Amino acid sequence: MTLLSKVTQAARNAIGRPSPRVLTVKDAWFLTPNMIRVVFAGPELAGFPTGREGGNCKLMIPDIGETKEGFAARLQGGLPPVKRTYTVRKFDAATGRLTIDFVAHGDNGPASRWASQAKPGDFLGFAGPSAPKVPHFEADWYLIAADPSAIPVAAATLEAMPRDAEGVAIFEVTSPEDRQNIDIPGGIDVHWLIQPDPHVPSQAQEDLIRSLNWPAGRVQTCIAGESGVIRSLRGFLATEKNVARGDTYISGYWKIGLVEDEHQKVKRAEAG
Ligand SMILES: Cc1cc2nc3c(=O)[nH]c(=O)nc-3n(C[C@H](O)[C@H](O)[C@H](O)COP(=O)(O)OP(=O)(O)OC[C@H]3O[C@@H](n4cnc5c(N)ncnc54)[C@H](O)[C@@H]3O)c2cc1C
């Protein structure tokens, strides 16, 4: 355990971790062929913090056929449910609606399966959210890159940016129909790349980033996606472009062939 994680753990123990909320689905639909949008609403969202778009959260997935009451009781100290990490795509305080977008990558992932069957009245557990991944915009230009799992954090970051921001945004999606409408500042040069099989390692984002005519000045990044792609890009930014660590948000969001718990273990081991 690193010093930072020991301190974080001690702080959590001291103040107590807030209990997870049990959220209820208001609506769910395929936003694009491979992305499911789930909107939650209800009294459990009272007091939900604003300005956390792009922050992450932990979702607890009920077992198939589990009742809401049984699941809520289980969250209070019973057998821990499957837990997965997602992003707050939007929270509308006026209507009390929370939006989370799920990649539809098949039924072998409990979260993907849950989302593909979600309908009004369904429920899951929610803990968080964290602060946004890019809380301040102070750069001369921005580099944003995302595979489908990271479109929510990339989109939230782009939507929060000053409207005169400049830079480059690269999205890699499964099909042309998976492109989304995002409110992106006009000075951001947007590229949509198509990678039909997300389980085949892709070089396209890195190739494009390496080919950029790197603008002068301070750059801030918001880059996330499959861990193999991220590992290579992290090295490029740190050693070849000397991007300051504090200006770099770059994170592996999943890994080909690993379920999230295994992927998290690998990440912790790599972080030391
Ligand atoms: C900070 C953070 C924020 C995230 N935000 C989001 C978000 O908003 N939306 C989102 O969809 N994902 C997001 N992710 C990624 C998500 O946590 C993983 O994709 C997770 O593995 C999904 O859980 P699951 O139960 O569906 O699949 P798991 O049970 O974890 O995995 C089952 C199988 O599916 C594969 N798999 C997992 N994810 C994908 C994928 N995206 N595409 C193709 N195959 C996959 C695995 O390699 C494994 O073989 C985020 C991750 C992090 C760390």
Side-chain angles (χ1 to χ4, degrees):
M1 205 185 236
T2 62
L3 182 60
L4 179 62
S5 52
K6 275 185 191 154
V7 170
T8 309
Q9 191 60 50
R12 278 182 181 146
N13 292 343
I15 58 175
R17 197 191 287 261
S19 301
R21 304 166 193 252
V22 177
L23 301 186
T24 308
V25 174
K26 174 81 181 164
D27 205 356
W29 67 95
F30 275 82
L31 184 66
T32 70
N34 294 288
M35 185 72 89
I36 301 153
R37 174 155 287 177
V38 181
V39 177
F40 300 89
E44 304 86 1
L45 281 164
F48 195 89
T50 55
R52 301 294 181 92
E53 283 81 1
N56 67 271
C57 53
K58 295 289 177 191
L59 302 184
M60 285 134 257
I61 312 296
D63 289 345
I64 293 168
E66 190 166 14
T67 64
K68 196 173 190 176
E69 293 68 29
F71 179 68
R74 192 148 69 98
L75 290 184
Q76 304 301 319
L79 192 66
V82 169
K83 205 184 271 184
R84 295 288 185 257
T85 311
Y86 280 78
T87 300
V88 173
R89 177 65 184 87
K90 193 173 165 57
F91 176 64
D92 183 340
T95 58
R97 291 183 182 191
L98 170 70
T99 301
I100 297 181
D101 289 347
F102 295 72
V103 175
H105 64 85
D107 284 352
N108 62 342
S112 171
R113 182 184 58 227
W114 178 90
S116 69
Q117 296 171 5
K119 56 184 186 319
D122 284 357
F123 56 89
L124 51 57
F126 177 103
S130 76
K133 301 301 179 186
V134 183
H136 306 290
F137 298 99
E138 294 159 346
D140 297 303
W141 68 284
Y142 298 89
L143 178 59
I144 310 296
D147 81 350
S149 71
I151 292 180
V153 69
T157 303
L158 285 158
E159 289 175 357
M161 266 179 201
R163 294 298 88 187
D164 60 354
E166 294 183 0
V168 180
I170 302 165
F171 296 98
E172 193 166 78
V173 290
T174 313
S175 73
E177 294 72 34
D178 282 302
R179 288 175 291 195
Q180 297 185 18
N181 288 325
I182 301 167
D183 184 12
I184 300 177
I188 303 282
D189 191 14
V190 184
H191 302 260
W192 290 91
L193 307 176
I194 308 301
Q195 163 70 0
D197 185 351
H199 293 101
V200 173
S202 167
Q203 186 65 29
Q205 286 184 82
E206 182 173 343
D207 287 349
L208 181 48
I209 290 173
R210 282 181 176 275
S211 75
L212 289 177
N213 190 7
W214 204 258
R218 181 174 171 191
V219 56
Q220 277 179 274
T221 76
C222 178
I223 300 177
E226 199 281 322
S227 259
V229 176
I230 294 303
R231 174 196 284 262
S232 179
L233 277 174
R234 186 181 281 121
F236 169 72
L237 294 173
T239 58
E240 295 185 44
K241 293 297 177 188
N242 297 312
V243 181
R245 251 183 114 157
D247 288 341
T248 309
Y249 176 70
I250 182 161
S251 183
Y253 272 18
W254 67 285
K255 188 165 172 58
I256 293 172
L258 296 187
V259 303
E260 178 170 331
D261 316 68
E262 297 163 340
H263 177 221
Q264 297 289 351
K265 261 190 222 152
V266 172
K267 278 173 76 166
R268 280 195 292 273
E270 285 176 354

